[in-house]
Amino acid sequence: MHRDVAIILYHDIAEPVHPLAKHLGMSVTPDIFRQHVRYLAKNYDLISAGDLLSNNLPRKALLITFDDAYRSMLEYGAVILKEASAPAIFFGISATVAGPSIPLDNVISLAVEELGISRVLSLLELENREISSTAGLIAALLPELKTRDITVIKEKLFSSLGTTEELVHKNSHLFLDAGDVAELGKYRIAIGNHSMHHVFLRGLTDAELHCEICESRELLERISGQSVDYLAIPYGSELDATETVLQMARTSGHRGIFLVHARSNRFRPAANIYYRVDAGSGPAETLWRKLQVEPMLRTVRDWARRSRRRVSPIAEVVPAG
Ligand SMILES: [Zn+2]
């Protein structure tokens, strides 16, 4: 059994939400985020990336993390965290920060907002599938894509929108740039790696994985001037934590790997693999259930399922320790 630590995940802090993020369900209002941080500071011992590395954890350790590349991390997140003297890790998508790459899920959100989901499904030749939401579309389309497929799909969607990736990236003012990321260092915010292009890793070739994991880490270290010690797997599924991914992450210098399964970290599969809980956008009162109750229930449920199957998928791919 490992030392317990709760790790919470945020993405975008916005009101209203930009069309590039509107259909992804990843945004929380600044007011709710401030309430969350006050609640967490009052009820937990907030720790930093360095504390996690040292493994010298207080009894009610909690780490705040942010994923993706939204500028709201600096505009609202850093300021509100500072009010509570709360440290955090920001996991950046390096090609979005360095510009002008936009993750495919953001492009799909924009296309759904501008064209409607029926037209987007038709463009992507998915009209015969029973898909009624952006989340369903992403789950059906994205996990097995290769880098070249993503390029073709993005070109098709931008062409239908009558614009280009470069123009949308520049005019949206939605994403952090390299200077912004360097500025995060002035706050108690460590920089982590969230891949080069925010893609599912499970179907990629070794060369594509090298770009997403190793080159992305190097780029983020150059941009931020900080050591990048952690990798957050895009979309957070253990299905993307393949043996090759874990080995490449470790040998390229990552000292911890983060998933997004709301399970207890007391029972995580290896000392340097961590589960995270998505904070959601509800009021602070929902956090106790999300952080204390649901992870334990899910851990028990997963144990029951695996003992029925007599195999643990992650045990097969994750070396102990
Ligand atoms: Zn992400």
Side-chain angles (χ1 to χ4, degrees):
M1 199 187 293
H2 300 282
R3 291 292 301 270
D4 200 15
V5 53
I7 308 178
I8 194 163
L9 167 61
Y10 294 92
H11 294 86
D12 181 32
I13 306 169
E15 191 178 31
V17 180
H18 192 282
L20 281 162
K22 187 173 175 181
H23 296 276
L24 303 181
M26 302 274 187
S27 303
V28 58
T29 68
D31 186 46
I32 291 284
F33 180 69
R34 183 176 273 111
Q35 287 178 32
H36 279 206
V37 172
R38 286 179 182 161
Y39 173 90
L40 297 172
K42 186 171 165 212
N43 292 284
Y44 291 88
D45 301 314
L46 301 182
I47 64 161
S48 66
D51 295 330
L52 192 68
L53 272 186
S54 74
N55 204 31
N56 184 19
L57 301 176
R59 196 172 62 84
K60 294 185 76 180
L62 182 134
L63 176 61
I64 298 172
T65 67
F66 279 82
D67 280 7
D68 301 345
Y70 297 108
R71 187 184 292 273
S72 59
M73 168 69 221
L74 185 61
E75 288 174 345
Y76 296 110
V79 176
I80 293 171
L81 290 169
K82 194 176 179 191
E83 288 170 7
S85 301
I89 306 180
F90 166 68
F91 288 99
I93 305 165
S94 44
T96 302
V97 170
S101 175
I102 302 177
L104 179 54
D105 51 359
N106 289 117
V107 181
I108 289 173
S109 173
L110 177 66
V112 168
E113 177 69 9
E114 299 280 325
L115 307 172
I117 191 154
S118 302
R119 172 95 176 105
V120 174
L121 289 170
S122 160
L123 281 168
L124 301 177
E125 296 167 15
L126 291 168
E127 63 269 54
N128 295 328
R129 305 274 289 272
E130 298 219 342
I131 297 171
S132 57
S133 67
T134 306
L137 196 172
I138 288 171
L141 178 68
L142 269 59
E144 305 294 337
L145 293 179
K146 298 263 190 287
T147 303
R148 66 177 176 280
D149 304 324
I150 294 169
T151 304
V152 169
I153 291 169
K154 286 207 302 193
E155 278 173 3
K156 190 184 276 187
L157 291 175
F158 281 118
S159 163
S160 301
L161 289 163
T163 185
T164 66
E165 187 165 18
E166 288 78 4
L167 271 178
V168 173
H169 188 284
K170 180 166 173 275
N171 294 335
S172 71
H173 303 290
L174 183 66
F175 302 111
L176 293 162
D177 63 24
D180 295 329
V181 172
E183 197 163 327
L184 289 175
K186 294 180 188 165
Y187 299 83
R188 296 175 66 201
I189 299 174
I191 306 301
N193 182 11
H194 196 37
S195 82
M196 188 72 86
H197 299 103
H198 202 256
V199 292
F200 283 88
L201 302 179
R202 67 192 70 169
L204 300 189
T205 64
D206 284 3
E208 289 170 335
L209 285 177
H210 188 270
C211 171
E212 296 300 330
I213 297 170
C214 312
E215 291 170 36
S216 177
R217 178 177 181 273
E218 285 170 18
L219 182 53
L220 285 165
E221 287 203 331
R222 269 207 305 282
I223 287 171
S224 69
Q226 291 196 41
S227 168
V228 171
D229 296 319
Y230 295 107
L231 170 71
I233 304 266
Y235 302 95
S237 167
E238 64 189 2
L239 297 176
D240 294 289
T242 63
E243 195 172 351
T244 309
V245 165
L246 293 174
Q247 189 178 355
M248 213 177 263
R250 286 168 171 147
T251 53
S252 58
H254 300 92
R255 299 173 68 184
I257 296 156
F258 287 59
L259 301 170
V260 191
H261 292 283
R263 299 183 191 134
S264 167
N265 272 316
R266 206 178 281 276
F267 305 101
R268 60 189 188 268
N272 59 4
I273 295 183
Y274 300 94
Y275 296 129
R276 294 187 293 170
V277 172
D278 192 297
S281 56
E285 298 81 67
T286 61
L287 292 178
W288 178 77
R289 180 172 49 78
K290 278 180 172 287
L291 289 166
Q292 300 298 132
V293 181
E294 291 177 2
M296 197 48 81
L297 290 176
R298 284 204 182 87
T299 300
V300 172
R301 183 199 64 188
D302 292 347
W303 264 353
R305 281 185 184 163
R306 281 172 189 168
S307 59
R308 275 202 297 278
R309 288 205 309 268
R310 290 172 168 271
V311 64
S312 156
I314 199 145
E316 292 176 323
V317 297
V318 179

